[in-house]
């Protein structure tokens, strides 16, 4: 741990990075059993899924903090090294750890979590996660020893792994993107999703939720709690529903958990807003078809100009073919500037959708091509981080 801290300090001092990842990697290299040792006698909740990990983890950590101090990897480092560093840097017994989908089996085996929260599983980073079905299979194997799993009842890809655990809490959080769950994760036959509850002929079907969303309310058999979140969008309410259900399972009063969720209006730069040379800019993250579907649903009800930024760096995934799974048609008639390493691909995709746009060199140049007024910047992961750094936006109520 001392060597890891020293490596992290040097990384920060030389400007190479935040230090959390290299510190964790070195510690694990020198002491492979460090993660299990640091997890001992702790109550750890793992949060994983393709979309919403960071937001759900932040909402859950805020709710659990009403009970006791919480350790968390709020910097988003969610592989083995990042999880190790979060535990090494905090002595708090309670921990909420955002976990990469591919690293969830490792985390479940090494950290012996008290519970896990499974949000969704869809295609993402196609160069790394080639098949959603393979990830579902590894999750199913990993959840067996986890005492409790809180899972989205509307995604077959989370229900099947959750059923391997001894106990479950089901949340009707919704699932707009269903193209990655048309095949049953248990038997491979078609999963019926024709407007009613999903089901398969093998018997796997949508479980009856313990908690579910009704418009802006979170409902259970005994509670109806208005969410009234500062965070925008249907997806934020879904993340809050998952976080509140997990917090209640950890002993927090439901109303207290909702109040904690309402107090959050920015999560690691997501939804940050601010002025940039007369333009009122809001920053949104969308990194795969499911995320773009939710985000476009949010902005389609507004008339703001748009900057769309897409890269294909390592954590974005090298393969941008998923752009053709996103329905950009709803953006026709809007003022749109595209940027990023894959801006040419995005120009072609928008043209095929009948959407006019122009290209900018970077996010700052893109904004300069838009008249003063409201602008939504929608970006995938590395483009989002670049925009966050260049624009230095701060969240406001």
């Amino acid at each position: 741990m001392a060597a890891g801290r020293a490596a992290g300090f040097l990384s920060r001092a030389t400007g190479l990075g935040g230090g959390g990842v290299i510190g964790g990697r070195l510690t694990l290299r020198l002491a492979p059993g460090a993660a299990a040792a640091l997890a001992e006698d702790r109550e750890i909740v793992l949060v994983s899924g393709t979309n919403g990990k960071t937001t759900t983890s932040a909402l859950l950590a805020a709710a659990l903090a009403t009970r006791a101090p919480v350790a968390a990897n709020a910097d988003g480092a969610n592989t083995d090294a990042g999880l190790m560093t979060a535990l090494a840097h905090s002595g708090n017994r309670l921990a909420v750890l955002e976990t990469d989908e591919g690293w969830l089996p490792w985390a479940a085996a090494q950290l012996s979590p008290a519970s896990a929260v499974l949000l969704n599983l869809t295609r993402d980073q196609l160069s790394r996660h080639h098949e959603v079905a393979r990830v579902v299979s590894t999750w199913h194997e990993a959840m067996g020893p986890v005492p409790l799993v809180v899972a989205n009842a509307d995604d077959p890809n989370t229900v099947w792994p959750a059923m391997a655990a001894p106990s479950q809490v089901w949340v009707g959080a919704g699932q707009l993107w269903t193209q990655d769950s048309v095949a049953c994760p248990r038997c491979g036959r078609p999963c019926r999703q024709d407007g009613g509850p999903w089901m398969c002929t093998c018997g796997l079907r949508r479980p009856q939720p313990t908690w579910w969303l009704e418009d802006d309310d979170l409902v259970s058999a005994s509670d109806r709690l208005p969410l009234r979140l500062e965070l925008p969008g249907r997806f934020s309410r879904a993340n809050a529903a998952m976080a509140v259900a997990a917090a209640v399972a950890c002993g927090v009063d439901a109303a207290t958990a909702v109040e904690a969720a309402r107090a959050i209006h920015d999560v690691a730069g997501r939804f940050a807003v601010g002025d940039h040379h007369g333009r009122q800019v809001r920053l949104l993250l969308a990194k795969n078809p499911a995320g773009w579907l939710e985000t476009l649903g949010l902005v389609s009800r507004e008339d703001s100009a748009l900057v769309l930024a897409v890269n294909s760096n390592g954590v974005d995934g090298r393969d941008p073919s998923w752009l053709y799974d996103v329905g950009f048609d709803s953006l026709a008639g809007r003022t749109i500037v595209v940027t990023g390493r894959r801006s040419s691909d995005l120009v072609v995709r928008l043209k095929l959708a009948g959407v006019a746009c122009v290209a900018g060199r970077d996010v700052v140049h893109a904004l300069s091509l838009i008249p003063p007024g409201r602008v939504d910047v929608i970006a995938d992961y590395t483009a989002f981080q670049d925009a966050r750094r260049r624009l230095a936006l701060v969240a406001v109520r």
Side-chain angles (χ1 to χ4, degrees), residues 176 235 271 282 284-301 331 376-379:
L176 294 184
F235 50 90
F271 318 112
R282 178 173 60 171
L284 302 168
L285 174 68
K287 58 181 183 174
N288 51 47
W292 277 91
L293 178 64
E294 295 276 8
T295 304
L296 292 179
L298 173 64
V299 303
S300 65
R301 295 188 293 271
L331 300 183
D376 281 321
V377 176
I378 308 175

Side-chain angles (χ1 to χ4, degrees), residues 255-281:
T256 300
V258 169
E259 284 297 327
R262 288 177 186 157
I264 294 179
H265 52 89
D266 169 54
V267 178
R270 293 154 177 79
F271 318 112
V273 298
D275 182 82
H276 183 79
H277 300 297
R279 294 156 186 85
Q280 292 76 54
V281 179

Side-chain angles (χ1 to χ4, degrees), residues 45 53 58 62 112 121 125 146 152 165 172-173 181 188 215 236 271 301 305 320 334 346 358 388 396-397:
V45 183
K53 294 185 291 291
S112 301
L121 266 180
Q125 297 186 34
V146 179
N152 183 0
S181 55
D215 297 323
S236 294
F271 318 112
R301 295 188 293 271
R334 302 280 285 271
L346 191 51
V358 297
R388 185 183 179 194
V396 297
R397 291 181 182 273

Side-chain angles (χ1 to χ4, degrees), residues 112-129:
S112 301
S115 58
V117 181
L118 307 183
L119 305 173
N120 71 331
L121 266 180
T122 71
R123 71 192 74 170
D124 187 47
Q125 297 186 34
L126 299 179
S127 56
R128 187 163 71 97
H129 297 310

Side-chain angles (χ1 to χ4, degrees), residues 307-381:
V307 172
L308 310 182
V310 175
N311 286 339
S312 59
N313 299 325
V315 294
D316 303 309
R318 303 290 187 188
D319 181 353
S321 61
W322 58 265
L323 287 171
Y324 291 85
D325 293 318
V326 179
F328 289 104
D329 312 60
S330 63
L331 300 183
R334 302 280 285 271
T335 299
I336 299 175
V337 182
V338 302
T339 187
R341 292 186 63 183
R342 290 291 184 170
S343 59
S344 296
D345 298 80
L346 191 51
V347 167
V348 173
R349 175 67 188 98
L350 291 175
K351 183 177 181 179
L352 290 174
V355 178
C357 66
V358 297
R361 293 188 303 272
D362 54 44
V363 68
V364 174
H365 180 241
L367 286 171
S368 73
L369 301 177
I370 295 175
R374 293 172 53 247
V375 184
D376 281 321
V377 176
I378 308 175
D380 67 359
Y381 189 78

Side-chain angles (χ1 to χ4, degrees), residues 31-371:
L38 286 169
E40 193 172 347
D41 296 326
R42 286 176 128 153
E43 183 180 348
I44 296 174
V45 183
L46 303 178
V47 180
S48 195
T50 309
N51 301 90
K53 294 185 291 291
T54 301
T55 299
T56 303
S57 297
L59 295 169
L60 177 56
L64 292 184
T66 64
R67 182 183 135 194
V70 178
N73 53 338
D75 60 354
N78 58 20
T79 63
D80 58 342
L83 304 181
M84 235 292 310
T85 299
L87 294 175
H89 286 186
S90 173
N92 296 335
R93 183 177 177 277
L94 267 175
V96 174
L97 300 177
E98 171 192 337
T99 310
D100 176 85
E101 307 96 283
W103 284 97
L104 180 62
W106 178 91
Q110 293 292 318
L111 306 181
S112 301
S115 58
V117 181
L118 307 183
L119 305 173
N120 71 331
L121 266 180
T122 71
R123 71 192 74 170
D124 187 47
Q125 297 186 34
L126 299 179
S127 56
R128 187 163 71 97
H129 297 310
H130 307 296
E131 292 291 343
V132 174
R134 174 58 183 158
V135 181
V136 176
S137 177
T138 62
W139 276 23
H140 183 76
E141 295 172 6
M143 290 300 101
V146 179
L148 171 69
V149 174
V150 180
N152 183 0
D154 292 304
D155 187 353
N157 292 330
T158 58
V159 170
W160 173 233
M163 291 180 68
S167 183
Q168 302 82 22
V169 173
W170 304 113
V171 183
Q175 179 84 339
L176 294 184
W177 178 263
T178 59
Q179 291 189 33
D180 292 308
S181 55
V182 295
C184 174
R186 181 164 72 179
C187 73
R189 290 193 284 262
C191 225
R192 197 184 84 191
Q193 303 188 52
D194 55 3
W198 63 265
M199 64 178 65
C200 178
T201 55
C202 75
L204 186 67
R205 62 177 60 227
R206 180 183 188 262
Q208 180 63 39
T210 308
W211 294 90
W212 63 93
L213 286 169
E214 289 185 5
D215 297 323
D216 290 336
D217 294 346
L218 180 59
V219 183
S220 72
S222 58
D223 290 292
R224 177 175 286 272
L225 302 167
L227 289 177
R228 295 199 299 269
L229 300 176
E230 295 286 344
L231 302 177
R234 190 214 71 86
F235 50 90
S236 294
R237 295 192 295 275
N239 293 334
M242 298 295 299
V244 171
V248 171
C250 292
V252 177
D253 174 71
T256 300
V258 169
E259 284 297 327
R262 288 177 186 157
I264 294 179
H265 52 89
D266 169 54
V267 178
R270 293 154 177 79
F271 318 112
V273 298
D275 182 82
H276 183 79
H277 300 297
R279 294 156 186 85
Q280 292 76 54
V281 179
R282 178 173 60 171
L283 187 55
L284 302 168
L285 174 68
K287 58 181 183 174
N288 51 47
W292 277 91
L293 178 64
E294 295 276 8
T295 304
L296 292 179
L298 173 64
V299 303
S300 65
R301 295 188 293 271
E302 304 171 0
D303 59 358
S304 58
L306 299 171
V307 172
L308 310 182
V310 175
N311 286 339
S312 59
N313 299 325
V315 294
D316 303 309
R318 303 290 187 188
D319 181 353
S321 61
W322 58 265
L323 287 171
Y324 291 85
D325 293 318
V326 179
F328 289 104
D329 312 60
S330 63
L331 300 183
R334 302 280 285 271
T335 299
I336 299 175
V337 182
V338 302
T339 187
R341 292 186 63 183
R342 290 291 184 170
S343 59
S344 296
D345 298 80
L346 191 51
V347 167
V348 173
R349 175 67 188 98
L350 291 175
K351 183 177 181 179
L352 290 174
V355 178
C357 66
V358 297
R361 293 188 303 272
D362 54 44
V363 68
V364 174
H365 180 241
L367 286 171
S368 73
L369 301 177
I370 295 175

